[in-house]
Amino acid sequence: MAAPGPIQTPAFRVGRTSTSWLAILSLAVVGGACGCATTPTRHLVFPSTPLSQAEVRAPGTVLMVLSAASEQQLADGSRRQTGVFLNEFYEPYRALVDAGYTVVLATPGGRTPAFDPEGQKPSYWKERPEALAEAQALVAKLPELLAPLPLSEVRTRAEAFQAILVPGGQGVMVDLLHDTDLHGLLVDFGATARPVGLVCHAPALLSRLPAGQSPFAGRRVTSVSGFEEWYIETFVMGARAQVRGIGEQLDDAGYHHETAFPGRSRAVRDCNLVTSQNPFSGADFNTLFLAALSDWRNAGRCELASSAAPDTSP
C-alpha cells in the first residue's frame, strides 16, 4: 500500500472512518490519543523443562500467500493497476530465507501474482535504496513467482508449514479478502498455535473469518490507518476504494485495533499473531514474526495472564 513518508510521532488509536483526517492529525500532533479498551493480556509459557537442542524444531517451510489481482475498480467506477506491494513481499521473504526458512508461494488458482507500480517508487525504499533493485531482480527471476501453488492445494496440506504470511497491497482487497481457502488456512494456523503474519491491508482478512470461528478473537492488531487510507485515495488512487475502513471493521469484529501516526513504523505481536501497519513497518514486523517462529519452534504457547489455564487460542 502507499502511505506518507516516515514521520516520528507518538502512537494513537484511529476510531471511526467518519472522523475527519484533520481531527486525527490534531490528536497525533498534540501527543496522541489512545482510546483503547482494556484488552486481555496474554504471555508466552514454555515447557517447565526447556527443550534440548535436539528437540527444538529446525527452521522449516513458511507459506506466503500473495494476491494475483492486477487491477481494482474504485468506488467511482474507475480502474487502476494494483497488486502486491513490493517491499511488503520482498522484506519478509528476504528475512525468512536469510534466517534459514524455505518460503512456498501460493495464490488464488495458482495465478501469477501482480505487483503494484506504486510500490516500486524510491520513496518506499529510503532506508535501503539498493534494496529496490534487489527486489526487482528477485521478482524477475524467482521461479516460484511464475508458478505459485494454488491456494486450494496448499489448504489440503496446511500441516506441512510452520507459519503463514500474507503481504499487503490493494490486491488483497480484490481477490483475497473473501477467499474461503485462505480463511480456512488462517483458522487452521491459529488453532494450532503456528505464527500468522498479516501486513498492512492483510489484517482486513481477520474481519472476514467465519463468525465464531476466529482463533484470534479479541487480539490486539494493527493495519493501514484511516488517515493513510484517505492519503492513498487522495494522492495515489484518485478515488475512494470500494472496501475501506479496515480499522473500524476490525474493531466491529471484536479485535483491538491500534495504529501509529501515518508513515511511522508500527507492528504488533499478540502471541502467534503478528500484524503491521504500512510499508515502513518491515523491520519491526520481521523482528516480531521471526521471534514468533522461534518461540513456536521452542514449544512456546500462550495463556491469558488473568487465568491459570492456558488459552486455547494462542
Side-chain angles (χ1 to χ4, degrees):
M1 56 147 275
I7 306 171
Q8 297 304 316
T9 51
F12 69 101
R13 174 80 174 275
V14 175
R16 296 294 186 184
T17 53
S18 59
T19 303
S20 74
W21 67 270
L22 283 173
I24 295 172
L25 181 59
S26 299
L27 286 172
V29 168
V30 298
C34 179
C36 305
T38 302
T39 60
T41 302
R42 296 176 175 83
H43 58 270
L44 280 169
V45 176
F46 292 89
S48 55
T49 302
L51 300 183
S52 68
Q53 188 172 0
E55 292 174 314
V56 175
R57 292 175 183 260
T61 304
V62 174
L63 175 64
M64 187 177 285
V65 178
L66 304 177
S67 168
S70 60
E71 185 180 72
Q72 69 178 134
Q73 183 174 354
L74 303 177
D76 66 356
S78 62
R79 293 182 176 273
R80 68 176 292 269
Q81 285 183 272
T82 191
V84 180
F85 222 70
L86 183 57
N87 63 352
E88 295 176 359
F89 160 73
Y90 173 75
E91 290 176 354
Y93 178 90
R94 188 78 268 160
L96 286 164
V97 171
D98 289 348
Y101 294 91
T102 299
V103 179
V104 168
L105 305 180
T107 64
R111 299 190 299 275
T112 302
F115 289 90
D116 195 317
E118 175 69 19
Q120 303 196 40
K121 293 181 178 178
S123 57
Y124 299 100
W125 303 82
K126 288 181 178 179
E127 289 190 9
R128 284 190 62 222
E130 72 281 4
L132 173 55
E134 295 171 6
Q136 291 170 329
L138 176 71
V139 300
K141 69 180 182 181
L142 191 64
E144 292 86 351
L145 282 171
L146 298 176
L149 297 176
L151 268 174
S152 57
E153 178 182 329
V154 297
R155 172 80 187 279
T156 64
R157 52 187 183 93
E159 69 282 352
F161 306 103
Q162 292 186 349
I164 185 172
L165 191 155
V166 186
Q170 290 282 347
V172 169
M173 313 304 283
V174 178
D175 65 348
L176 293 183
L177 191 62
H178 300 287
D179 191 288
T180 56
D181 286 320
L182 180 53
H183 295 171
L185 284 164
L186 293 174
V187 171
D188 288 347
F189 277 78
T192 53
R194 289 171 291 171
V196 172
L198 303 172
V199 177
C200 194
H201 278 77
L205 292 162
L206 297 172
S207 68
R208 299 307 197 272
L209 296 182
Q213 294 185 29
S214 174
F216 308 107
R219 299 292 185 88
R220 293 174 55 239
V221 296
T222 189
S223 72
V224 57
S225 69
F227 183 95
E228 287 166 327
E229 288 180 310
W230 170 85
Y231 186 97
I232 296 162
E233 293 169 344
T234 303
F235 297 105
V236 176
M237 296 163 56
R240 289 168 63 98
Q242 288 192 335
V243 183
R244 65 191 315 277
I246 294 173
E248 176 184 342
Q249 293 179 31
L250 287 165
D251 279 332
D252 288 345
Y255 302 94
H256 297 274
H257 182 256
E258 57 192 60
T259 65
F261 191 63
R264 183 182 179 186
S265 175
R266 178 69 170 173
V268 172
R269 179 184 174 190
D270 193 332
C271 292
N272 64 320
L273 178 63
V274 182
T275 54
S276 70
Q277 178 175 333
N278 56 37
F280 309 109
S281 305
D284 289 333
F285 173 84
N286 291 340
T287 296
L288 294 179
F289 191 69
L290 289 173
L293 267 162
S294 177
D295 290 338
W296 179 81
R297 289 168 39 225
N298 282 276
R301 298 296 182 265
C302 291
E303 69 176 29
L304 287 171
S306 59
S307 172
D311 181 14
T312 56
S313 58

